[in-house]
């Protein structure tokens, strides 16, 4: 099984780390999930929730939407 690398920005204004990490851990229990500091996405971060998954930047209007979109990039 391939290892998934998931990162969430601890400064994102549209995601709550406690709930986002819990949701990601439940949906991808074998993934390496980490919090990262600001990546200078000030424009998108101010408007969208986002997740870095396996090198891709995935955004959504809400935390749940970003996580749902990110799941399509999970490696099996």
């Amino acid at each position: 099984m391939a290892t998934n690398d998931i990162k969430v920005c601890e400064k994102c204004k549209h995601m709550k780390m406690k709930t986002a990490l819990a949701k990601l851990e439940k949906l991808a229990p074998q993934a390496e999930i980490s919090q990262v500091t600001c990546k200078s996405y000030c424009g998108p971060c101010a408007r969208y929730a986002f997740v870095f998954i396996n090198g891709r930047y995935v955004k959504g209007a809400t935390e749940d939407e970003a996580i749902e979109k990110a799941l399509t990039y999970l490696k099996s």
Side-chain angles (χ1 to χ4, degrees), residues 9-42:
C9 179
E10 64 187 13
K11 301 288 184 185
C12 183
K13 298 175 184 172
H14 298 282
M15 294 183 72
K16 295 179 181 163
M17 284 304 102
K18 186 175 182 178
T19 59
L21 292 174
K23 290 173 188 175
L24 289 166
E25 288 171 355
K26 183 177 179 183
L27 296 170
Q30 302 299 322
E32 291 182 31
I33 303 171
S34 59
Q35 294 182 44
V36 294
T37 58
C38 183
K39 294 295 183 190
S40 297
Y41 282 109
C42 295

Side-chain angles (χ1 to χ4, degrees), residues 48-68:
Y48 304 104
F50 67 92
V51 176
F52 289 103
I53 180 163
N54 298 322
R56 293 183 181 261
Y57 168 84
V58 181
K59 68 180 182 179
T62 65
E63 175 181 305
D64 290 332
E65 185 179 317
I67 291 171
E68 183 179 327

